Amino acid sequence: MARLARLAVGGRLHLIVLHAHGKQSVFRDADDRQVWLDWMSDYAKTERIAIHAYALLDAWVGLLATPAEAQGVSRWMQAIGRRYGRYFNDRHHRRGTLWDGRYRCTVVDADHYALSAMVYLDLASVRAGLATGADQYPWSSHLHYLGLRQDRFLTPLASYWSLGNTPFAREAAYAELVRAGLSSTQASRIEDAVDKAWVLGDAPFVEELQPQVPRRVTKGRPGRPRKQSRTE
C-alpha cells in the first residue's frame, strides 16, 4: 500500500520525527548537536515556524512545531536535512545518505495533546537508554522548561502557560508531568499517529480538521470499500 501524503496544516501544531539511516549515529558529539540546533533555529525563522520542543538522540530527532503555512514544514526539514547531511559527511569523512527516507509528521490537537507530545519527546532519551531521567539528558528542551537553561529559539505553548501563574509553578507542574510519564497506550498512540500520519486528537478535533486536508486524517475501517449495487 502506498504511503499517504504527509499531514500538514498551516497554523496547527505538528509532531515531526526523523530517523537515521540504518540506525547509525547522526550526532557524534556536542558540536554536531549544536550545529543542528543552530541551523534548525535559523531555517525556522526563514520559514516562519515556531519551535516548541525538541529531542536529539544519537539516531533520532523529534520536534514539536507550528508552521505558518502547510508547506513550511517540508521546506524546513529539507533545508536542515540536506545542509546537515553535507556537513556531517564532510566532518566525519563518510559518504552516503544520513536519513532513513522522508521525515514522519502528524498534526496534533494543541489543546488536549500538546503536553503529552512534549513529555513524549522529553522521555525519548530515557526510552533509548541514554539517561536515567529526562533531567539528566542535555539535548532536549526539557531543561528549558524546568528553568535550568534558556533555549531562546523556543516558543512555549498555551498548554504550558496554563500549568501555573508563575515560572516556578509552571516549571514544577511540568516536571511532575514528566516524572509521571506516559502510559504504554499513550506512547503507542503518539508513535502510531506519527508513523502513519494520522491526526493526534479526539473526534471533535478530527471533524474540524478534516475539511482542511485533501486526504483522510484517521485510519479507515478495515477491509475493501463497499461496492455500490446497480440500484444505488
Side-chain angles (χ1 to χ4, degrees), residues 51-52 110 114-115 118 144-145 150 154-171 173-174 177:
I51 306 171
H52 310 297
L115 292 175
M118 287 178 63
H144 172 87
Y145 287 109
Q150 273 199 324
L154 290 177
T155 301
L157 287 157
S159 297
Y160 177 79
W161 286 108
S162 70
L163 291 176
N165 295 323
T166 66
F168 178 79
R170 289 189 291 272
E171 291 156 9
Y174 185 67
L177 283 178

Side-chain angles (χ1 to χ4, degrees), residues 139-158:
W139 297 106
S140 79
S141 48
H142 186 56
L143 296 182
H144 172 87
Y145 287 109
L146 294 187
L148 300 177
R149 185 185 67 217
Q150 273 199 324
D151 287 332
R152 297 185 182 277
F153 57 81
L154 290 177
T155 301
L157 287 157

Side-chain angles (χ1 to χ4, degrees), residues 228-232:
Q228 288 186 321
S229 68
R230 294 182 179 180
T231 59
E232 287 182 310

Side-chain angles (χ1 to χ4, degrees), residues 13-17 63-64 104-106 108 117 120-121 190 194:
L13 182 64
H14 292 64
L15 181 58
I16 306 156
V17 168
L63 305 169
L64 196 61
R104 291 166 173 79
C105 177
T106 192
V108 179
Y120 176 79
L121 292 182
I190 292 171
V194 175

Side-chain angles (χ1 to χ4, degrees), residues 24-153:
Q24 65 184 309
S25 175
V26 294
F27 302 110
R28 295 187 181 178
D29 55 26
D31 289 342
D32 284 347
R33 287 175 167 85
Q34 191 58 57
V35 163
W36 173 277
L37 292 178
D38 290 343
W39 288 342
M40 178 183 76
S41 175
D42 290 344
Y43 285 118
K45 293 176 184 176
T46 301
E47 297 297 342
R48 296 186 299 139
I49 291 174
I51 306 171
H52 310 297
Y54 69 90
L56 308 183
L57 307 188
D58 292 345
W60 184 92
V61 175
L63 305 169
L64 196 61
T66 300
E69 56 182 281
Q71 296 305 314
V73 172
S74 178
R75 293 194 298 263
W76 186 41
M77 289 294 96
Q78 287 179 12
I80 307 169
R82 289 173 180 172
R83 186 176 182 185
Y84 184 81
R86 291 192 296 269
Y87 152 84
F88 188 87
N89 281 354
D90 289 344
R91 183 178 184 224
H92 298 291
H93 309 291
R94 68 177 298 277
R95 293 183 179 181
T97 184
L98 196 61
W99 307 107
D100 183 23
R102 65 184 195 171
Y103 66 88
R104 291 166 173 79
C105 177
T106 192
V107 176
V108 179
D109 180 351
D111 292 335
H112 299 103
Y113 286 87
L115 292 175
S116 294
M118 287 178 63
V119 171
Y120 176 79
L121 292 182
D122 283 342
L123 292 175
S125 60
V126 179
R127 292 193 302 273
L130 299 175
T132 56
D135 59 347
Q136 302 300 310
Y137 190 72
W139 297 106
S140 79
S141 48
H142 186 56
L143 296 182
H144 172 87
Y145 287 109
L146 294 187
L148 300 177
R149 185 185 67 217
Q150 273 199 324
D151 287 332
R152 297 185 182 277
F153 57 81

